[in-house]
Amino acid sequence: DTGVSQNPRHKITKRGQNVTFRCDPISEHNRLYWYRQTLGQGPEFLTYFQNEAQLEKSRLLSDRFSAERPKGSFSTLEIQRTEQGDSAMYLCASSFRGGNTDTQYFGPGTRLTVL
Amino acid sequence: GQNIDQPTEMTATEGAIVQINCTYQTSGFNGLFWYQQHAGEAPTFLSYNVLDGLEEKGRFSSFLSRSKGYSYLLLKELQMKDSASYLCAVQTGANNLFFGTGTRLTVIP
C-alpha cells in the first residue's frame, strides 16, 4: 500500500498563469477529496469524487478551479488565471466508502506560491 | 453556521499527559476525527469516534459526547516527536470533513 501521492510537491507561478496538480489515491479507494490549507488554518474542503463522479463542490471553488477524475483513479485540479490569494497547500485525500467508517488518508500536498 | 473550537496552542512536558479539547457545532454529524500534522507535512489519521465514549489506541485516546458537542484527545507519555498540530474534524452529512484550526502542541524536555 503506497499511500496517496501528489505531484508536484511545490509549484511557483506568476499571477495569471494556469497550474495543474495531480493526485494518485490509494488503490481501491473509491472516494477522492481536495482540500486547501493556508498557514495556521485547518484544511478547507474544496470538492470530492466518488469514482469518476464529482458529487460535491464547495462555494470556495470558484469558476477558475476545475477538478477531474476521468477514470475513477487519479485526479487533477486545475487553477486558471492564478491570483496571489490562491497561494496555499493543496491537499488530496482518499477513502474507501464501505462499512461504518470513511477515514480519509491524506497525501503530502502541493504547495503553491503565486508571485 | 458551522464551528469547531480548539485551543490555539498548548505546551506540555516530556513524559506527561496532555488533553486537547474540541467543541463543535455542525449541520450534520457522521463522526469526529483527530489528525496529527507536523509542520509542512500532510495530516495523518489518529482516531475516529462516532459513538459516545472513549476510544483508546496506544498512547492516544479520544473521547466523544455527542449531546455536548464535545471531544478530547488524550496523549500519554509525551515524547518530543509529539510536537505537532492536532486537528479536530467533523464528518458532516455531506461526508466531507470540516476542520478546526488546530492546536499546536509543543513538548518541552
Side-chain angles (χ1 to χ4, degrees):
Chain A
D1 188 354
T2 57
V4 179
S5 62
Q6 292 187 246
N7 288 288
R9 295 292 308 277
H10 303 274
K11 178 70 177 179
I12 300 174
T13 191
K14 293 182 178 179
R15 189 177 54 185
Q17 297 294 305
N18 299 344
V19 294
T20 300
F21 310 141
R22 176 177 170 129
C23 171
D24 288 88
I26 294 171
S27 59
E28 86 262 3
H29 277 192
N30 53 5
R31 286 192 164 187
L32 187 148
Y33 308 78
W34 286 99
Y35 291 83
R36 180 172 68 188
Q37 186 177 26
T38 53
L39 198 61
Q41 301 296 314
E44 295 175 295
F45 169 75
L46 294 178
T47 188
Y48 94 92
F49 294 82
Q50 178 151 319
N51 300 311
E52 65 275 9
Q54 189 173 18
L55 296 186
E56 187 177 350
K57 294 195 292 186
S58 163
R59 286 172 294 177
L60 292 174
L61 211 67
S62 77
D63 56 6
R64 296 185 298 105
F65 288 69
S66 62
E68 294 183 343
R69 194 183 183 198
K71 297 182 180 178
S73 56
F74 73 92
S75 174
T76 57
L77 177 69
E78 180 183 19
I79 309 174
Q80 296 182 326
R81 306 181 303 281
T82 52
E83 302 173 357
Q84 288 184 325
D86 297 332
S87 294
M89 175 77 87
Y90 289 84
L91 294 165
C92 175
S94 70
S95 70
F96 178 73
R97 178 60 175 174
N100 296 322
T101 66
D102 193 9
T103 301
Q104 296 181 29
Y105 295 91
F106 284 82
T110 295
R111 181 169 296 284
L112 173 66
T113 302
V114 182
L115 302 176
Chain B
Q2 305 196 110
N3 191 55
I4 292 179
D5 284 317
Q6 305 178 233
T8 304
E9 295 188 8
M10 298 183 72
T11 301
T13 305
E14 190 176 14
I17 300 173
V18 70
Q19 178 174 313
I20 302 174
N21 295 323
C22 169
T23 57
Y24 63 90
Q25 296 153 334
T26 57
S27 56
F29 184 84
N30 283 342
L32 188 140
F33 292 78
W34 284 94
Y35 284 83
Q36 179 191 61
Q37 187 175 29
H38 286 98
E41 298 182 11
T44 55
F45 169 72
L46 289 178
S47 69
Y48 168 75
N49 295 72
V50 66
L51 300 176
D52 289 354
L54 189 68
E55 294 284 340
E56 296 186 82
K57 190 186 293 186
R59 295 189 299 116
F60 296 78
S61 303
S62 57
F63 172 83
L64 175 67
S65 169
R66 289 172 298 171
S67 62
K68 295 181 179 178
Y70 168 69
S71 174
Y72 68 72
L73 179 70
L74 195 71
L75 291 77
K76 304 175 186 175
E77 302 169 15
L78 279 173
Q79 301 175 10
M80 299 299 290
K81 68 178 182 179
D82 296 329
S83 292
S85 287
Y86 290 86
L87 300 165
C88 173
V90 172
Q91 188 162 39
T92 64
N95 291 308
N96 63 71
L97 290 175
F98 181 73
F99 282 87
T101 56
T103 298
R104 189 166 63 191
L105 174 67
T106 302
V107 180
I108 58 176

